[in-house]
Amino acid sequence: MTTHYFSPGPATLPAAVRDLVKLELLDTFGFGVSVMEISHRSKQYEKLNEETLKLAQDVFEVPSSHKLLITPFGAQQHFSLLIHHLSRPGDTLAYTETGVWAHLATVDAKASQRKVEVVYDGAPALNSLGNQAQWNIPENAKYLHLTVNNTVEGTEYSSLEFPGKVPLVLDMTSALASRRDIPWDRTHLIYASAQKNFGIAGCSIVIIKNEIFEQARETAKQNLLGNALNYCSIFDAKSALNTPPVFPIFVTNRYLHWMKSVGGIETMEQWAKERARLIYSEIDDAFYKGHAVAEHRSRHNFVFKLQTPELDALFVAEAQKEGIFEIKGYRTLGGVRASMYNGISLESAQYFAHFMRAFKAKHG
Ligand SMILES: *Cc1c(COP(=O)(O)O)cnc(C)c1O
């Protein structure tokens, strides 16, 4: 039986990428050396690295107004690092409380002796992102921090238009490489770890606006951040300041090649919308109760409940018998969460939608 693995992250890779990684693992460069072994200063690795950086800029459609780097950190390290690059103690920062990850980002900001204004708090329901047009964002805030897709709660901004002119900082960990409507002019920084939409755990992408780059370097130094934690030093060293996580970067390279070959983010976005349409049309059928309000539904994480916790558990158990795994809801939310990132095929989404229909026919 085919396995359909809908984990929230790390997540299923495209089958073509998995196969290629297996094929190339032990002799990656054609002279009997694996990417796991090769010196990161060898010409073969340097070529792979440079190609990955160029491909990422290209596939993620990053304009020339922004620089892109690859870091060995995860998204949670960026919660803290970005504060130290973009602000000084006493500065005002604007944050949004839209879910588990957004909350942890806010906690780090509050712990860093900044004045933190929470401009939107969706707790306790966390099923909506509110009315952005009504947000009161302090004009002197260094930035507004947003979690574009709330992975746990299954909510996502349908538009990235926000009132005022305060620069944006975007956590795009579960959204980069699947939507094209990034307001680049206003965006000072984007970060995303790879293991959801474009790779495996162990590396992450940071994108910084050129205009603030040198200021960020100095601010990080003033905040006493070490050289190897400075985004600008990492960028200067072509994202290989210290020994980089070569294997995760290799997987991202092959993932980027695959995305490019099937039509880039435009295709990724289309497929994400199509997967979402398939699943939400089952959820809209009243037997399943969707968590998110319709206008803020995630295209990646489908969170819903059945009539009782017992039926939720039965759904998860029966799904497993059909080869569907890792769909139990997050512990604080309960219910079901099926996550479908760029690596999930349309066929797999159809299979799950079909299972939902069959389960309803049997138990509805
Ligand atoms: C998964 C996730 C994180 C945490 O990522 P790590 O790389 O494990 O630190 C942060 N933000 C969002 C939106 C996520 O989905």
Side-chain angles (χ1 to χ4, degrees):
M1 197 188 330
T2 309
T3 294
H4 301 269
Y5 195 69
F6 299 130
S7 154
T12 298
L13 297 168
V17 174
R18 257 173 120 226
D19 291 346
L20 195 58
V21 168
K22 182 185 174 197
L23 189 75
E24 296 182 310
L25 186 63
L26 299 186
D27 183 4
T28 316
F29 304 93
F31 71 110
V33 174
S34 166
V35 67
M36 299 181 294
E37 303 161 321
I38 196 153
S39 160
H40 65 294
R41 303 296 179 210
S42 65
K43 63 179 191 307
Q44 290 87 352
Y45 184 77
E46 279 184 357
K47 185 163 162 252
L48 176 82
N49 184 50
E50 273 179 40
E51 185 195 78
T52 311
L53 290 167
K54 260 177 69 188
L55 257 177
Q57 189 104 13
D58 175 17
V59 173
F60 297 150
E61 300 182 353
V62 180
S64 57
S65 54
H66 287 67
K67 297 188 202 303
L68 176 146
L69 55 141
I70 303 178
T71 80
F73 317 120
Q76 290 201 62
Q77 277 82 24
H78 294 302
F79 291 169
S80 171
L81 287 172
L82 72 91
I83 297 165
H84 297 294
H85 282 83
L86 302 179
S87 70
R88 297 280 292 144
D91 282 345
T92 298
L93 309 176
Y95 273 75
T96 43
E97 290 267 18
T98 53
V100 167
W101 297 118
H103 175 69
L104 288 177
T106 309
V107 167
D108 269 353
K110 285 181 173 166
S112 65
Q113 300 177 348
R114 271 66 170 170
K115 292 193 201 82
V116 177
E117 283 287 331
V118 175
V119 300
Y120 175 73
D121 188 349
L126 295 170
N127 64 343
S128 163
L129 302 170
N131 181 351
Q132 296 151 234
Q134 287 174 358
W135 290 2
N136 201 350
I137 304 160
E139 274 173 32
N140 66 339
K142 293 288 172 187
Y143 60 81
L144 168 64
H145 181 275
L146 299 155
T147 309
V148 173
N149 180 68
N150 295 276
T151 317
V152 171
E153 297 76 12
T155 55
E156 180 172 2
Y157 293 100
S158 49
S159 147
L160 297 177
E161 298 294 325
F162 295 87
K165 293 196 171 64
V166 169
L168 305 181
V169 170
L170 308 176
D171 177 354
M172 293 194 71
T173 294
S174 50
L176 189 66
S178 64
R179 61 187 292 171
R180 309 178 73 199
D181 59 342
I182 296 168
W184 289 106
D185 264 5
R186 224 183 136 170
T187 301
H188 277 191
L189 192 136
I190 293 174
Y191 60 99
S193 42
Q195 69 271 19
K196 283 154 190 164
N197 248 345
F198 56 89
I200 61 169
C203 68
S204 58
I205 296 284
V206 174
I207 299 169
I208 307 180
K209 196 166 195 197
N210 297 342
E211 216 174 279
I212 62 144
F213 190 79
E214 286 309 321
Q215 182 61 52
R217 184 198 302 278
E218 291 314 310
T219 303
K221 281 187 196 165
Q222 285 163 3
N223 285 323
L224 307 181
L225 216 53
N227 186 50
L229 297 172
N230 192 309
Y231 293 150
C232 306
S233 306
I234 297 173
F235 175 84
D236 292 347
K238 296 190 173 144
S239 299
L241 184 145
N242 60 319
T243 317
V246 290
F247 182 61
I249 290 171
F250 167 69
V251 176
T252 285
N253 177 289
R254 295 310 188 245
Y255 208 133
L256 290 166
H257 272 296
W258 172 80
M259 284 199 261
K260 194 170 170 162
S261 74
V262 297
I265 316 193
E266 197 173 343
T267 304
M268 295 301 112
E269 184 165 21
Q270 254 175 30
W271 289 353
K273 284 183 179 165
E274 178 57 13
R275 285 189 298 262
R277 192 192 62 75
L278 283 165
I279 308 308
Y280 288 121
S281 57
E282 299 306 324
I283 292 177
D284 283 338
D285 200 10
F287 177 70
Y288 300 102
K289 288 174 286 182
H291 176 70
V293 300
E295 69 204 290
H296 294 142
R297 281 171 165 173
S298 168
R299 296 170 194 169
H300 309 278
N301 312 95
F302 311 117
V303 178
F304 57 91
K305 282 188 169 144
L306 290 84
Q307 275 82 356
T308 63
E310 291 71 32
L311 215 49
D312 290 339
L314 186 66
F315 182 89
V316 173
E318 299 253 308
Q320 194 152 331
K321 288 186 204 151
E322 301 296 326
I324 297 166
F325 294 92
E326 210 61 49
I327 58 164
K328 196 164 177 281
Y330 191 78
R331 63 193 149 76
T332 54
L333 280 173
V336 178
R337 168 176 56 164
S339 300
M340 302 187 192
Y341 302 108
N342 287 338
I344 298 285
S345 66
L346 290 181
E347 291 72 26
S348 210
Q350 275 156 358
Y351 184 87
F352 186 65
H354 183 263
F355 171 78
M356 289 177 78
R357 224 169 306 140
F359 187 89
K360 183 193 152 190
K362 202 163 147 199
H363 301 277

